[in-house]
Amino acid sequence: MKLSGKTRVLGIIGSPVGHSLSPAMQNAAIDELGIEYVYVPFPVEPDYLGQAVEGLRRLGVWGFNVTIPHKSTIIPCLDKISPEAELCGAVNTVCREGESLVGYNTDGIGFLASLREDLHYDPSGSSVLLLGAGGAARGAIAALASAGVARIVIANRTRERGQELLEKFRTVFPAVEFILSSLAAPELAGQLHNADLLVNTTSVGMNGTSFEYLPLSELPDTAKVYDMVYVPAETPLLGEAKGRGLTCANGLGMLAGQGVASFKLWTGLEAPRAVMKRKLLEGLER
Ligand code: NAD
């Protein structure tokens, strides 16, 4: 990696960031293209978020990713945010545009790219059952609705949170049928029966945890399953889906996809997706 007085600095802010695979992934892309950028981790405690963002602005940092716990709280620190970020209430990528810091959300783009590449799934006209109603769910819903999905069922632990999200999206995407479900039988069983795609957007699956009630036997034989969790690579949900012979994928492709989209926003260049995905796999195997 060549560093000079002209090197543009990119990075990621979060707390913690030590475990993040983004520096390895983005620097691999920078090396591959031989461009004068460098991507570094910046640990930022929640109490110092405003000061840190001003610091990055004044230091001329070219752009940065935003991860837990700053994805929503960063919004008031920025000059402008994109319509997708507004809809999701979350920013994962910041770009310097003239004197302004502009927030974007590339999680939805990454999710769609992974559905197409890893599951060969075209959402157009299909019916999707989403588990969870947090930040990742909002990004997925915005992306699916923009891609012409016919029906989205949101099954969430807290009904009020699901309802709130549903009402917001109904007004923005009137052509999509939005349905609220609970995570309990028999309501969920009925929704599984009608799903072309099941997506886990919750953190359930990390550390080998599983849903109390999720009868995959109710899914049609042609249904596909996507788990946004990528550690472990095979969550109990994916293990069960595989056992049933269903096509499925974990969230690694989404992580690569959001990184590819961020890279393009910062550099204007097409990122080497295969190189980035390989670097992620290497990082997970360590
Ligand atoms: P969040 O905290 O905003 O939302 C979490 C959601 O999970 C909420 O709806 C909550 O009700 C639900 N939930 C949590 N525990 C549950 C349980 N035991 N049973 C049922 N529901 C439960 O978090 P987020 O930012 O939306 O992230 C969620 C997951 O998605 C995390 O595992 C995160 O790592 C993953 N994610 C992956 C990518 C990727 O690139 N692959 C991108 C974003 C998020």
Side-chain angles (χ1 to χ4, degrees):
M1 183 179 295
K2 198 172 102 189
L3 292 176
S4 77
K6 291 188 186 130
T7 302
R8 289 178 173 169
V9 178
L10 302 171
I12 179 165
I13 63 167
S15 180
V17 282
H19 68 289
S20 173
L21 299 172
S22 291
M25 171 175 73
Q26 294 291 356
N27 284 317
I30 289 167
D31 281 353
E32 178 72 14
L33 298 193
I35 52 178
E36 268 199 72
Y37 287 81
V38 65
Y39 185 105
V40 290
F42 296 114
V44 173
E45 293 297 326
D47 285 350
Y48 298 110
L49 177 63
Q51 288 174 42
V53 172
E54 272 319 291
L56 294 169
R57 185 200 292 275
R58 300 290 163 215
L59 288 168
V61 165
W62 193 253
F64 54 95
N65 281 130
V66 184
T67 189
I68 288 168
H70 306 313
K71 280 184 162 185
S72 298
T73 47
I74 194 168
I75 292 175
C77 308
L78 302 173
D79 302 302
K80 208 173 127 189
I81 60 170
S82 70
E84 290 82 15
E86 174 91 55
L87 196 54
C88 300
V91 161
N92 80 329
T93 306
V94 176
C95 294
R96 171 179 297 277
E97 292 177 8
E99 290 303 305
S100 301
L101 290 183
V102 184
Y104 294 87
N105 193 310
T106 65
D107 280 339
I109 301 171
F111 172 62
L112 272 193
S114 183
L115 285 188
R116 293 200 168 110
E117 183 169 310
D118 302 322
L119 288 184
H120 306 292
Y121 186 84
D122 176 5
S124 173
S126 70
S127 181
V128 181
L129 171 55
L130 280 173
L131 307 172
R138 287 197 291 268
I141 296 169
L144 288 167
S146 304
V149 82
R151 188 164 175 268
I152 296 179
V153 180
I154 299 160
N156 198 45
R157 207 168 35 172
T158 335
R159 210 170 171 95
E160 299 73 46
R161 199 169 175 198
Q163 184 67 39
E164 209 177 284
L165 191 145
L166 203 123
E167 276 162 18
K168 186 172 176 184
F169 277 91
R170 257 188 197 138
T171 55
V172 184
F173 297 103
V176 180
E177 183 188 3
F178 285 100
I179 295 168
L180 185 64
S181 171
S182 79
L183 281 170
E187 200 180 356
L188 186 61
Q191 297 302 349
L192 282 162
H193 201 66
N194 293 317
D196 299 311
L197 173 71
L198 171 69
V199 185
N200 174 35
T201 77
T202 76
S203 48
V204 174
M206 291 171 92
N207 310 317
T209 50
S210 43
F211 288 94
E212 273 174 37
Y213 174 81
L214 190 59
L216 292 194
S217 52
E218 298 295 332
L219 279 172
D221 292 342
T222 51
K224 297 186 174 185
V225 177
Y226 194 89
D227 199 332
M228 286 192 185
V229 174
Y230 49 87
V231 180
E234 185 174 299
T235 59
L237 170 64
L238 292 180
E240 202 185 327
K242 259 192 195 167
R244 243 216 74 182
L246 302 175
T247 306
C248 50
N250 68 20
L252 192 86
M254 176 176 174
L255 185 63
Q258 62 79 34
V260 165
S262 299
F263 187 93
K264 175 103 195 244
L265 283 170
W266 297 319
T267 66
L269 301 171
E270 291 303 329
R273 185 183 167 88
V275 170
M276 293 164 85
K277 212 168 166 186
R278 203 163 50 237
K279 204 72 195 176
L280 287 177
L281 278 169
E282 274 173 35
L284 286 176
E285 278 161 11
R286 252 189 232 135

PDB file of all heavy atoms in Angstrom, residues 68 71 107 132-137 156-158 161 183 200-204 206 211 226 228-230 251-252 254-255 258, ligand 1:
ATOM      1  N   ILE A  68     -22.597  -0.140  14.707  1.00  0.00           N
ATOM      2  CA  ILE A  68     -23.210  -0.128  16.037  1.00  0.00           C
ATOM      3  C   ILE A  68     -22.308   0.574  17.044  1.00  0.00           C
ATOM      4  O   ILE A  68     -21.099   0.303  17.046  1.00  0.00           O
ATOM      5  CB  ILE A  68     -23.484  -1.598  16.472  1.00  0.00           C
ATOM      6  CG1 ILE A  68     -24.665  -2.152  15.647  1.00  0.00           C
ATOM      7  CG2 ILE A  68     -23.792  -1.723  17.945  1.00  0.00           C
ATOM      8  CD1 ILE A  68     -24.846  -3.666  15.760  1.00  0.00           C
ATOM      9  N   LYS A  71     -25.452   4.143  14.186  1.00  0.00           N
ATOM     10  CA  LYS A  71     -26.124   4.224  12.882  1.00  0.00           C
ATOM     11  C   LYS A  71     -27.283   5.234  12.853  1.00  0.00           C
ATOM     12  O   LYS A  71     -27.517   5.866  11.821  1.00  0.00           O
ATOM     13  CB  LYS A  71     -26.624   2.840  12.470  1.00  0.00           C
ATOM     14  CG  LYS A  71     -25.531   1.948  11.884  1.00  0.00           C
ATOM     15  CD  LYS A  71     -26.139   0.640  11.419  1.00  0.00           C
ATOM     16  CE  LYS A  71     -25.226  -0.079  10.461  1.00  0.00           C
ATOM     17  NZ  LYS A  71     -25.838  -1.283   9.901  1.00  0.00           N
ATOM     18  N   ASP A 107     -26.933  -0.789   3.180  1.00  0.00           N
ATOM     19  CA  ASP A 107     -27.277  -2.149   3.634  1.00  0.00           C
ATOM     20  C   ASP A 107     -28.311  -2.804   2.715  1.00  0.00           C
ATOM     21  O   ASP A 107     -28.213  -3.995   2.390  1.00  0.00           O
ATOM     22  CB  ASP A 107     -27.827  -2.124   5.064  1.00  0.00           C
ATOM     23  CG  ASP A 107     -26.717  -2.019   6.104  1.00  0.00           C
ATOM     24  OD1 ASP A 107     -25.564  -2.363   5.784  1.00  0.00           O
ATOM     25  OD2 ASP A 107     -27.013  -1.594   7.241  1.00  0.00           O
ATOM     26  N   GLY A 132     -38.234  -9.877  12.433  1.00  0.00           N
ATOM     27  CA  GLY A 132     -37.562  -8.728  13.048  1.00  0.00           C
ATOM     28  C   GLY A 132     -38.004  -7.414  12.432  1.00  0.00           C
ATOM     29  O   GLY A 132     -38.500  -7.385  11.293  1.00  0.00           O
ATOM     30  N   ALA A 133     -37.831  -6.334  13.219  1.00  0.00           N
ATOM     31  CA  ALA A 133     -38.259  -5.011  12.743  1.00  0.00           C
ATOM     32  C   ALA A 133     -37.264  -3.933  13.179  1.00  0.00           C
ATOM     33  O   ALA A 133     -37.636  -2.804  13.452  1.00  0.00           O
ATOM     34  CB  ALA A 133     -39.657  -4.698  13.275  1.00  0.00           C
ATOM     35  N   GLY A 134     -35.979  -4.285  13.225  1.00  0.00           N
ATOM     36  CA  GLY A 134     -34.952  -3.310  13.618  1.00  0.00           C
ATOM     37  C   GLY A 134     -34.373  -2.606  12.404  1.00  0.00           C
ATOM     38  O   GLY A 134     -34.999  -2.533  11.347  1.00  0.00           O
ATOM     39  N   GLY A 135     -33.153  -2.072  12.559  1.00  0.00           N
ATOM     40  CA  GLY A 135     -32.504  -1.312  11.497  1.00  0.00           C
ATOM     41  C   GLY A 135     -32.270  -2.137  10.246  1.00  0.00           C
ATOM     42  O   GLY A 135     -32.525  -1.678   9.127  1.00  0.00           O
ATOM     43  N   ALA A 136     -31.801  -3.365  10.426  1.00  0.00           N
ATOM     44  CA  ALA A 136     -31.510  -4.216   9.270  1.00  0.00           C
ATOM     45  C   ALA A 136     -32.800  -4.541   8.515  1.00  0.00           C
ATOM     46  O   ALA A 136     -32.810  -4.595   7.281  1.00  0.00           O
ATOM     47  CB  ALA A 136     -30.826  -5.499   9.720  1.00  0.00           C
ATOM     48  N   ALA A 137     -33.894  -4.725   9.245  1.00  0.00           N
ATOM     49  CA  ALA A 137     -35.189  -5.013   8.605  1.00  0.00           C
ATOM     50  C   ALA A 137     -35.631  -3.826   7.758  1.00  0.00           C
ATOM     51  O   ALA A 137     -36.100  -4.000   6.628  1.00  0.00           O
ATOM     52  CB  ALA A 137     -36.242  -5.318   9.679  1.00  0.00           C
ATOM     53  N   ASN A 156     -42.605  -9.785  14.206  1.00  0.00           N
ATOM     54  CA  ASN A 156     -41.714  -9.213  15.215  1.00  0.00           C
ATOM     55  C   ASN A 156     -42.164  -9.570  16.619  1.00  0.00           C
ATOM     56  O   ASN A 156     -43.332  -9.843  16.880  1.00  0.00           O
ATOM     57  CB  ASN A 156     -41.688  -7.681  15.051  1.00  0.00           C
ATOM     58  CG  ASN A 156     -40.494  -7.078  15.742  1.00  0.00           C
ATOM     59  OD1 ASN A 156     -39.391  -7.596  15.612  1.00  0.00           O
ATOM     60  ND2 ASN A 156     -40.710  -6.016  16.499  1.00  0.00           N
ATOM     61  N   ARG A 157     -41.167  -9.563  17.525  1.00  0.00           N
ATOM     62  CA  ARG A 157     -41.423  -9.884  18.932  1.00  0.00           C
ATOM     63  C   ARG A 157     -42.363  -8.839  19.544  1.00  0.00           C
ATOM     64  O   ARG A 157     -43.350  -9.171  20.162  1.00  0.00           O
ATOM     65  CB  ARG A 157     -40.074  -9.870  19.655  1.00  0.00           C
ATOM     66  CG  ARG A 157     -39.995 -10.726  20.852  1.00  0.00           C
ATOM     67  CD  ARG A 157     -38.574 -10.876  21.326  1.00  0.00           C
ATOM     68  NE  ARG A 157     -37.730  -9.694  21.157  1.00  0.00           N
ATOM     69  CZ  ARG A 157     -36.509  -9.573  21.650  1.00  0.00           C
ATOM     70  NH1 ARG A 157     -35.993 -10.553  22.353  1.00  0.00           N
ATOM     71  NH2 ARG A 157     -35.788  -8.500  21.455  1.00  0.00           N
ATOM     72  N   THR A 158     -42.038  -7.555  19.329  1.00  0.00           N
ATOM     73  CA  THR A 158     -42.886  -6.468  19.848  1.00  0.00           C
ATOM     74  C   THR A 158     -43.814  -6.007  18.740  1.00  0.00           C
ATOM     75  O   THR A 158     -43.360  -5.474  17.725  1.00  0.00           O
ATOM     76  CB  THR A 158     -42.005  -5.264  20.277  1.00  0.00           C
ATOM     77  OG1 THR A 158     -40.715  -5.735  20.591  1.00  0.00           O
ATOM     78  CG2 THR A 158     -42.603  -4.505  21.416  1.00  0.00           C
ATOM     79  N   ARG A 161     -43.749  -2.164  17.636  1.00  0.00           N
ATOM     80  CA  ARG A 161     -42.609  -1.755  16.807  1.00  0.00           C
ATOM     81  C   ARG A 161     -42.825  -2.168  15.344  1.00  0.00           C
ATOM     82  O   ARG A 161     -42.548  -1.411  14.414  1.00  0.00           O
ATOM     83  CB  ARG A 161     -41.325  -2.382  17.364  1.00  0.00           C
ATOM     84  CG  ARG A 161     -40.089  -1.677  16.867  1.00  0.00           C
ATOM     85  CD  ARG A 161     -38.855  -2.110  17.615  1.00  0.00           C
ATOM     86  NE  ARG A 161     -37.677  -1.497  17.014  1.00  0.00           N
ATOM     87  CZ  ARG A 161     -36.443  -1.926  17.201  1.00  0.00           C
ATOM     88  NH1 ARG A 161     -36.220  -2.944  17.986  1.00  0.00           N
ATOM     89  NH2 ARG A 161     -35.422  -1.331  16.641  1.00  0.00           N
ATOM     90  N   LEU A 183     -44.638 -13.712  16.190  1.00  0.00           N
ATOM     91  CA  LEU A 183     -43.691 -14.828  16.052  1.00  0.00           C
ATOM     92  C   LEU A 183     -44.277 -16.097  16.667  1.00  0.00           C
ATOM     93  O   LEU A 183     -43.574 -17.082  16.858  1.00  0.00           O
ATOM     94  CB  LEU A 183     -42.370 -14.475  16.730  1.00  0.00           C
ATOM     95  CG  LEU A 183     -41.428 -13.562  15.936  1.00  0.00           C
ATOM     96  CD1 LEU A 183     -40.270 -13.095  16.795  1.00  0.00           C
ATOM     97  CD2 LEU A 183     -40.906 -14.258  14.696  1.00  0.00           C
ATOM     98  N   ASN A 200     -34.175 -13.761   8.027  1.00  0.00           N
ATOM     99  CA  ASN A 200     -33.950 -13.426   9.435  1.00  0.00           C
ATOM    100  C   ASN A 200     -33.162 -12.135   9.507  1.00  0.00           C
ATOM    101  O   ASN A 200     -32.014 -12.065   9.064  1.00  0.00           O
ATOM    102  CB  ASN A 200     -33.175 -14.535  10.153  1.00  0.00           C
ATOM    103  CG  ASN A 200     -32.825 -14.107  11.567  1.00  0.00           C
ATOM    104  OD1 ASN A 200     -33.596 -13.405  12.233  1.00  0.00           O
ATOM    105  ND2 ASN A 200     -31.664 -14.509  12.041  1.00  0.00           N
ATOM    106  N   THR A 201     -33.776 -11.074  10.051  1.00  0.00           N
ATOM    107  CA  THR A 201     -33.083  -9.786  10.207  1.00  0.00           C
ATOM    108  C   THR A 201     -32.770  -9.532  11.681  1.00  0.00           C
ATOM    109  O   THR A 201     -32.340  -8.449  12.034  1.00  0.00           O
ATOM    110  CB  THR A 201     -33.924  -8.608   9.660  1.00  0.00           C
ATOM    111  OG1 THR A 201     -34.949  -8.287  10.612  1.00  0.00           O
ATOM    112  CG2 THR A 201     -34.545  -8.909   8.323  1.00  0.00           C
ATOM    113  N   THR A 202     -33.025 -10.517  12.551  1.00  0.00           N
ATOM    114  CA  THR A 202     -32.740 -10.343  13.977  1.00  0.00           C
ATOM    115  C   THR A 202     -31.339 -10.880  14.282  1.00  0.00           C
ATOM    116  O   THR A 202     -30.700 -11.475  13.427  1.00  0.00           O
ATOM    117  CB  THR A 202     -33.743 -11.111  14.863  1.00  0.00           C
ATOM    118  OG1 THR A 202     -33.408 -12.498  14.821  1.00  0.00           O
ATOM    119  CG2 THR A 202     -35.178 -10.936  14.409  1.00  0.00           C
ATOM    120  N   SER A 203     -30.912 -10.691  15.511  1.00  0.00           N
ATOM    121  CA  SER A 203     -29.595 -11.225  15.902  1.00  0.00           C
ATOM    122  C   SER A 203     -29.699 -12.675  16.366  1.00  0.00           C
ATOM    123  O   SER A 203     -28.691 -13.280  16.749  1.00  0.00           O
ATOM    124  CB  SER A 203     -28.996 -10.347  16.994  1.00  0.00           C
ATOM    125  OG  SER A 203     -29.968 -10.119  17.982  1.00  0.00           O
ATOM    126  N   VAL A 204     -30.916 -13.243  16.322  1.00  0.00           N
ATOM    127  CA  VAL A 204     -31.081 -14.654  16.709  1.00  0.00           C
ATOM    128  C   VAL A 204     -30.293 -15.513  15.716  1.00  0.00           C
ATOM    129  O   VAL A 204     -30.424 -15.333  14.504  1.00  0.00           O
ATOM    130  CB  VAL A 204     -32.577 -15.059  16.697  1.00  0.00           C
ATOM    131  CG1 VAL A 204     -32.734 -16.554  16.965  1.00  0.00           C
ATOM    132  CG2 VAL A 204     -33.356 -14.243  17.715  1.00  0.00           C
ATOM    133  N   MET A 206     -26.861 -15.787  16.237  1.00  0.00           N
ATOM    134  CA  MET A 206     -25.502 -15.525  16.708  1.00  0.00           C
ATOM    135  C   MET A 206     -25.311 -16.403  17.943  1.00  0.00           C
ATOM    136  O   MET A 206     -26.256 -16.644  18.690  1.00  0.00           O
ATOM    137  CB  MET A 206     -25.337 -14.051  17.098  1.00  0.00           C
ATOM    138  CG  MET A 206     -25.373 -13.135  15.899  1.00  0.00           C
ATOM    139  SD  MET A 206     -25.438 -11.417  16.345  1.00  0.00           S
ATOM    140  CE  MET A 206     -23.713 -11.023  16.378  1.00  0.00           C
ATOM    141  N   PHE A 211     -34.720 -19.619  17.135  1.00  0.00           N
ATOM    142  CA  PHE A 211     -36.079 -19.149  17.449  1.00  0.00           C
ATOM    143  C   PHE A 211     -36.834 -20.233  18.212  1.00  0.00           C
ATOM    144  O   PHE A 211     -36.683 -21.420  17.912  1.00  0.00           O
ATOM    145  CB  PHE A 211     -36.832 -18.811  16.156  1.00  0.00           C
ATOM    146  CG  PHE A 211     -36.348 -17.571  15.495  1.00  0.00           C
ATOM    147  CD1 PHE A 211     -35.388 -17.644  14.483  1.00  0.00           C
ATOM    148  CD2 PHE A 211     -36.820 -16.327  15.865  1.00  0.00           C
ATOM    149  CE1 PHE A 211     -34.913 -16.495  13.873  1.00  0.00           C
ATOM    150  CE2 PHE A 211     -36.357 -15.170  15.251  1.00  0.00           C
ATOM    151  CZ  PHE A 211     -35.402 -15.256  14.259  1.00  0.00           C
ATOM    152  N   TYR A 226     -32.867 -16.708   3.850  1.00  0.00           N
ATOM    153  CA  TYR A 226     -31.695 -15.830   3.984  1.00  0.00           C
ATOM    154  C   TYR A 226     -31.533 -15.431   5.443  1.00  0.00           C
ATOM    155  O   TYR A 226     -32.477 -14.973   6.085  1.00  0.00           O
ATOM    156  CB  TYR A 226     -31.881 -14.565   3.133  1.00  0.00           C
ATOM    157  CG  TYR A 226     -30.583 -13.809   2.957  1.00  0.00           C
ATOM    158  CD1 TYR A 226     -29.737 -14.097   1.894  1.00  0.00           C
ATOM    159  CD2 TYR A 226     -30.178 -12.833   3.864  1.00  0.00           C
ATOM    160  CE1 TYR A 226     -28.523 -13.445   1.743  1.00  0.00           C
ATOM    161  CE2 TYR A 226     -28.966 -12.176   3.717  1.00  0.00           C
ATOM    162  CZ  TYR A 226     -28.145 -12.480   2.646  1.00  0.00           C
ATOM    163  OH  TYR A 226     -26.944 -11.840   2.487  1.00  0.00           O
ATOM    164  N   MET A 228     -29.337 -12.905   7.834  1.00  0.00           N
ATOM    165  CA  MET A 228     -28.377 -11.788   7.808  1.00  0.00           C
ATOM    166  C   MET A 228     -27.189 -12.033   8.728  1.00  0.00           C
ATOM    167  O   MET A 228     -26.156 -11.390   8.600  1.00  0.00           O
ATOM    168  CB  MET A 228     -29.077 -10.488   8.196  1.00  0.00           C
ATOM    169  CG  MET A 228     -29.977  -9.958   7.117  1.00  0.00           C
ATOM    170  SD  MET A 228     -30.481  -8.288   7.488  1.00  0.00           S
ATOM    171  CE  MET A 228     -31.622  -8.001   6.155  1.00  0.00           C
ATOM    172  N   VAL A 229     -27.356 -12.948   9.672  1.00  0.00           N
ATOM    173  CA  VAL A 229     -26.241 -13.304  10.559  1.00  0.00           C
ATOM    174  C   VAL A 229     -25.201 -14.078   9.737  1.00  0.00           C
ATOM    175  O   VAL A 229     -25.575 -14.865   8.865  1.00  0.00           O
ATOM    176  CB  VAL A 229     -26.758 -14.173  11.737  1.00  0.00           C
ATOM    177  CG1 VAL A 229     -25.611 -14.667  12.592  1.00  0.00           C
ATOM    178  CG2 VAL A 229     -27.747 -13.372  12.585  1.00  0.00           C
ATOM    179  N   TYR A 230     -23.917 -13.820   9.970  1.00  0.00           N
ATOM    180  CA  TYR A 230     -22.877 -14.566   9.247  1.00  0.00           C
ATOM    181  C   TYR A 230     -21.852 -15.210  10.184  1.00  0.00           C
ATOM    182  O   TYR A 230     -20.911 -15.858   9.724  1.00  0.00           O
ATOM    183  CB  TYR A 230     -22.188 -13.684   8.191  1.00  0.00           C
ATOM    184  CG  TYR A 230     -21.732 -12.349   8.718  1.00  0.00           C
ATOM    185  CD1 TYR A 230     -20.490 -12.202   9.310  1.00  0.00           C
ATOM    186  CD2 TYR A 230     -22.561 -11.241   8.639  1.00  0.00           C
ATOM    187  CE1 TYR A 230     -20.078 -10.976   9.800  1.00  0.00           C
ATOM    188  CE2 TYR A 230     -22.172 -10.016   9.127  1.00  0.00           C
ATOM    189  CZ  TYR A 230     -20.931  -9.891   9.702  1.00  0.00           C
ATOM    190  OH  TYR A 230     -20.535  -8.669  10.203  1.00  0.00           O
ATOM    191  N   GLY A 251     -25.406 -13.973   5.801  1.00  0.00           N
ATOM    192  CA  GLY A 251     -25.292 -12.535   5.513  1.00  0.00           C
ATOM    193  C   GLY A 251     -23.937 -12.058   5.013  1.00  0.00           C
ATOM    194  O   GLY A 251     -23.735 -10.843   4.879  1.00  0.00           O
ATOM    195  N   LEU A 252     -23.035 -12.991   4.713  1.00  0.00           N
ATOM    196  CA  LEU A 252     -21.705 -12.577   4.261  1.00  0.00           C
ATOM    197  C   LEU A 252     -21.763 -11.788   2.937  1.00  0.00           C
ATOM    198  O   LEU A 252     -21.078 -10.784   2.775  1.00  0.00           O
ATOM    199  CB  LEU A 252     -20.804 -13.800   4.100  1.00  0.00           C
ATOM    200  CG  LEU A 252     -19.338 -13.443   3.922  1.00  0.00           C
ATOM    201  CD1 LEU A 252     -18.670 -13.273   5.273  1.00  0.00           C
ATOM    202  CD2 LEU A 252     -18.618 -14.514   3.127  1.00  0.00           C
ATOM    203  N   MET A 254     -24.185 -10.026   1.917  1.00  0.00           N
ATOM    204  CA  MET A 254     -24.763  -8.694   2.188  1.00  0.00           C
ATOM    205  C   MET A 254     -23.677  -7.755   2.707  1.00  0.00           C
ATOM    206  O   MET A 254     -23.603  -6.584   2.312  1.00  0.00           O
ATOM    207  CB  MET A 254     -25.885  -8.843   3.219  1.00  0.00           C
ATOM    208  CG  MET A 254     -26.487  -7.535   3.660  1.00  0.00           C
ATOM    209  SD  MET A 254     -27.871  -7.828   4.797  1.00  0.00           S
ATOM    210  CE  MET A 254     -28.259  -6.148   5.271  1.00  0.00           C
ATOM    211  N   LEU A 255     -22.821  -8.296   3.583  1.00  0.00           N
ATOM    212  CA  LEU A 255     -21.724  -7.492   4.126  1.00  0.00           C
ATOM    213  C   LEU A 255     -20.799  -7.039   2.996  1.00  0.00           C
ATOM    214  O   LEU A 255     -20.392  -5.869   2.937  1.00  0.00           O
ATOM    215  CB  LEU A 255     -20.954  -8.329   5.163  1.00  0.00           C
ATOM    216  CG  LEU A 255     -19.851  -7.617   5.928  1.00  0.00           C
ATOM    217  CD1 LEU A 255     -20.420  -6.492   6.774  1.00  0.00           C
ATOM    218  CD2 LEU A 255     -19.107  -8.603   6.829  1.00  0.00           C
ATOM    219  N   GLN A 258     -22.748  -4.356   0.815  1.00  0.00           N
ATOM    220  CA  GLN A 258     -22.820  -2.985   1.336  1.00  0.00           C
ATOM    221  C   GLN A 258     -21.460  -2.302   1.209  1.00  0.00           C
ATOM    222  O   GLN A 258     -21.372  -1.110   0.940  1.00  0.00           O
ATOM    223  CB  GLN A 258     -23.397  -2.928   2.763  1.00  0.00           C
ATOM    224  CG  GLN A 258     -22.622  -3.648   3.873  1.00  0.00           C
ATOM    225  CD  GLN A 258     -21.417  -2.873   4.379  1.00  0.00           C
ATOM    226  OE1 GLN A 258     -21.439  -1.658   4.440  1.00  0.00           O
ATOM    227  NE2 GLN A 258     -20.358  -3.592   4.729  1.00  0.00           N
TER     228      GLN A 258
HETATM  229  P1  NAD B   1     -31.558  -3.966  15.852  1.00  0.00           P
HETATM  230  O1  NAD B   1     -31.155  -4.012  17.270  1.00  0.00           O
HETATM  231  O2  NAD B   1     -31.897  -2.675  15.224  1.00  0.00           O
HETATM  232  O3  NAD B   1     -32.809  -4.941  15.628  1.00  0.00           O
HETATM  233  C1  NAD B   1     -32.847  -6.241  16.148  1.00  0.00           C
HETATM  234  C2  NAD B   1     -34.221  -6.886  15.884  1.00  0.00           C
HETATM  235  O4  NAD B   1     -34.128  -8.229  16.349  1.00  0.00           O
HETATM  236  C3  NAD B   1     -35.391  -6.239  16.617  1.00  0.00           C
HETATM  237  O5  NAD B   1     -36.522  -6.237  15.779  1.00  0.00           O
HETATM  238  C4  NAD B   1     -35.632  -7.213  17.807  1.00  0.00           C
HETATM  239  O6  NAD B   1     -36.981  -7.229  18.220  1.00  0.00           O
HETATM  240  C5  NAD B   1     -35.253  -8.536  17.185  1.00  0.00           C
HETATM  241  N1  NAD B   1     -34.824  -9.562  18.149  1.00  0.00           N
HETATM  242  C6  NAD B   1     -33.701  -9.548  18.926  1.00  0.00           C
HETATM  243  N2  NAD B   1     -33.644 -10.654  19.684  1.00  0.00           N
HETATM  244  C7  NAD B   1     -34.759 -11.402  19.377  1.00  0.00           C
HETATM  245  C8  NAD B   1     -35.266 -12.656  19.823  1.00  0.00           C
HETATM  246  N3  NAD B   1     -34.632 -13.383  20.749  1.00  0.00           N
HETATM  247  N4  NAD B   1     -36.420 -13.130  19.264  1.00  0.00           N
HETATM  248  C9  NAD B   1     -37.051 -12.395  18.322  1.00  0.00           C
HETATM  249  N5  NAD B   1     -36.621 -11.203  17.868  1.00  0.00           N
HETATM  250  C10 NAD B   1     -35.482 -10.704  18.382  1.00  0.00           C
HETATM  251  O7  NAD B   1     -30.329  -4.685  15.082  1.00  0.00           O
HETATM  252  P2  NAD B   1     -30.016  -4.615  13.502  1.00  0.00           P
HETATM  253  O8  NAD B   1     -29.027  -3.538  13.234  1.00  0.00           O
HETATM  254  O9  NAD B   1     -31.306  -4.609  12.790  1.00  0.00           O
HETATM  255  O10 NAD B   1     -29.214  -5.992  13.280  1.00  0.00           O
HETATM  256  C11 NAD B   1     -29.876  -7.235  13.401  1.00  0.00           C
HETATM  257  C12 NAD B   1     -28.972  -8.372  12.907  1.00  0.00           C
HETATM  258  O11 NAD B   1     -28.660  -8.215  11.546  1.00  0.00           O
HETATM  259  C13 NAD B   1     -27.626  -8.452  13.645  1.00  0.00           C
HETATM  260  O12 NAD B   1     -27.315  -9.805  13.848  1.00  0.00           O
HETATM  261  C14 NAD B   1     -26.651  -7.825  12.666  1.00  0.00           C
HETATM  262  O13 NAD B   1     -25.340  -8.326  12.837  1.00  0.00           O
HETATM  263  C15 NAD B   1     -27.261  -8.289  11.349  1.00  0.00           C
HETATM  264  N6  NAD B   1     -26.874  -7.407  10.241  1.00  0.00           N
HETATM  265  C16 NAD B   1     -26.145  -7.974   9.235  1.00  0.00           C
HETATM  266  C17 NAD B   1     -25.750  -7.197   8.176  1.00  0.00           C
HETATM  267  C18 NAD B   1     -24.939  -7.831   7.071  1.00  0.00           C
HETATM  268  O14 NAD B   1     -24.297  -7.105   6.292  1.00  0.00           O
HETATM  269  N7  NAD B   1     -24.974  -9.140   6.937  1.00  0.00           N
HETATM  270  C19 NAD B   1     -26.089  -5.814   8.111  1.00  0.00           C
HETATM  271  C20 NAD B   1     -26.852  -5.283   9.167  1.00  0.00           C
HETATM  272  C21 NAD B   1     -27.227  -6.100  10.229  1.00  0.00           C
END
